[in-house]
Amino acid sequence: METKDLLKKVRKIEIKTRRLSDHIFSGEYHTSFKGRGMTFSEVRQYQFGDDIRAIDWNVTARYNEPYVKVFEEERELTMMLMVDISGSESFGTKNQLKSEIVTEIAATMAFSATQNNDKIGLILFTDQIELYIPPKKGKSHVLRIIRELIEFQPKSKKTDLSQALKFLSSTQKKKAIVFVISDFMVEEDYEKTLKIAGKKHDITGVRVYDIREEKMPNIGMVEMEDAETGEILLVNTGSKKARLSYEKQYQDKVSYFKDVFSKCGSGTVNTRVDESYVTKLLGYFKSR
């Protein structure tokens, strides 16, 4: 993509998503995730009425008089955007591709975090980590993230969510607000890695899908290509058995996504390409 065209596209997404984050999401985002924990501040001498459970026994033994640990609410958050850029994201039968909606959602969340002076980081993944941008603050940092979402060319077309979650756990030592944005059309079992990551981080899975993925239309013999493996198959869509088999495989993956995220204590958002992701995200924030 030419630099001029890229800048135009970045600007267009910035205008749309920044307006959403400024007027709609920033307040809801802040309310949903503020006060997520307490962080150690200092030790001071014990005062009458202090909770004895806060006594720092090491310091108390050293000075031979009671000292307590003082904690304060964590104000600054870190948001990590984990974005699936595998082959299946380049699909769409309505106005936009899944990948375009994914980019808009990620940009909107990034600007919402910026409104609260939080850090934002990015992980682009397929079946490997394609790009990692460590968390930082500022508009220029957010614009870099948007540029990468628009023009980054992955080496692979396959998906491995477990590898991405392992990478998250290994790089983010402090608790983060994590949005995993994907269609979740993955083959592997990712329950174990999600459970481990979910113990440390506040994770939300945002599933972006197209209406044509839910059911196979009856249009006779069709040559189909797997977007992630490149395998080409001749499929008889006129066969009721073939259509039902396809629908079952699709629904199994959707059910697995919902069940595993729920079991691991993580949130879920489901938004179709032709639906308003604004409405879906607002509903999710308010439900928290």
Side-chain angles (χ1 to χ4, degrees):
M1 188 183 295
E2 294 287 336
T3 304
K4 188 178 178 182
D5 294 334
L6 173 63
L7 290 174
K8 277 185 181 177
K9 208 163 185 179
V10 170
R11 183 62 179 155
K12 185 178 178 182
I13 289 176
E14 180 193 0
I15 291 169
K16 179 177 181 178
T17 59
R18 186 154 198 164
R19 186 171 64 246
L20 289 172
S21 64
D22 285 352
H23 299 295
I24 303 173
F25 287 116
S26 58
E28 296 295 343
Y29 160 81
H30 180 67
T31 303
S32 298
F33 297 107
K34 70 176 181 178
R36 61 188 172 85
M38 306 296 284
T39 184
F40 175 74
S41 176
E42 61 181 344
V43 293
R44 61 164 171 77
Q45 286 183 299
Y46 178 86
Q47 298 174 2
F48 179 76
D50 284 340
D51 189 341
I52 60 170
R53 291 174 296 182
I55 292 176
D56 187 321
W57 294 105
N58 290 330
V59 177
T60 297
R62 190 181 311 147
Y63 291 101
N64 206 27
E65 58 180 313
Y67 277 76
V68 293
K69 294 177 180 178
V70 179
F71 294 84
E72 61 182 20
E73 185 181 30
E74 291 185 47
R75 300 291 179 185
E76 183 182 280
L77 306 177
T78 295
M79 176 190 287
M80 286 303 303
L81 298 169
M82 295 180 60
V83 180
D84 177 0
I85 55 170
S86 61
S88 63
E89 300 302 326
S90 300
F91 179 80
T93 59
K94 296 294 181 179
N95 296 330
Q96 290 179 288
L97 301 177
K98 286 189 287 182
S99 59
E100 293 172 326
I101 297 296
V102 164
T103 296
E104 285 190 18
I105 292 173
T108 302
M109 299 313 304
F111 278 121
S112 297
T114 298
Q115 288 291 312
N116 289 288
N117 200 34
D118 297 333
K119 294 178 180 177
I120 307 104
L122 177 69
I123 297 172
L124 298 181
F125 70 94
T126 52
D127 61 346
Q128 61 191 34
I129 302 303
E130 298 278 356
L131 178 69
Y132 170 56
I133 300 178
K136 279 178 63 178
K137 296 181 182 180
K139 179 185 173 182
S140 61
H141 180 67
V142 172
L143 292 177
R144 183 199 168 189
I145 285 174
I146 296 173
R147 283 197 302 270
E148 295 292 0
L149 285 165
I150 292 171
E151 72 165 356
F152 188 87
Q153 296 298 315
K155 297 182 183 72
S156 174
K157 291 186 175 182
K158 298 180 181 180
T159 316
D160 190 333
L161 181 55
S162 291
Q163 287 298 321
L165 290 167
K166 286 177 185 176
F167 182 81
L168 171 74
S169 296
S170 67
T171 54
Q172 304 306 309
K173 301 305 179 185
K174 290 186 177 181
K175 187 172 184 179
I177 307 300
V178 181
F179 289 92
V180 185
I181 312 174
S182 170
D183 56 13
F184 293 92
M185 292 291 103
V186 299
E187 299 295 337
E188 95 276 6
D189 179 345
Y190 52 82
E191 181 176 349
K192 184 178 178 181
T193 48
L194 179 62
K195 191 172 184 179
I196 292 169
K199 285 180 179 178
K200 183 190 293 183
H201 305 294
D202 187 333
I203 300 177
T204 299
V206 181
R207 187 174 75 90
V208 179
Y209 66 101
D210 189 276
I211 191 169
R212 291 298 181 195
E213 294 177 306
E214 297 180 283
K215 292 181 182 292
M216 182 187 290
N218 182 355
I219 50 176
M221 296 296 290
V222 178
E223 198 175 73
M224 295 185 178
E225 181 181 352
D226 189 308
E228 299 200 356
T229 65
E231 182 182 5
I232 296 176
L233 296 171
L234 191 63
V235 180
N236 180 13
T237 63
S239 165
K240 186 177 180 181
K241 184 179 178 181
R243 293 198 306 273
L244 290 174
S245 175
Y246 172 85
E247 288 169 27
K248 183 180 184 305
Q249 286 183 46
Y250 177 82
Q251 289 303 328
D252 284 348
K253 289 175 182 176
V254 174
S255 297
Y256 180 79
F257 159 69
K258 292 177 180 177
D259 293 345
V260 167
F261 268 74
S262 176
K263 195 185 295 184
C264 295
S266 299
T268 58
V269 179
N270 294 273
T271 183
R272 211 169 63 201
V273 169
D274 58 328
E275 292 179 326
S276 168
Y277 62 82
V278 174
T279 304
K280 296 296 183 75
L281 288 170
L282 274 176
Y284 173 69
F285 290 156
K286 286 175 179 176
S287 72
R288 291 174 60 99

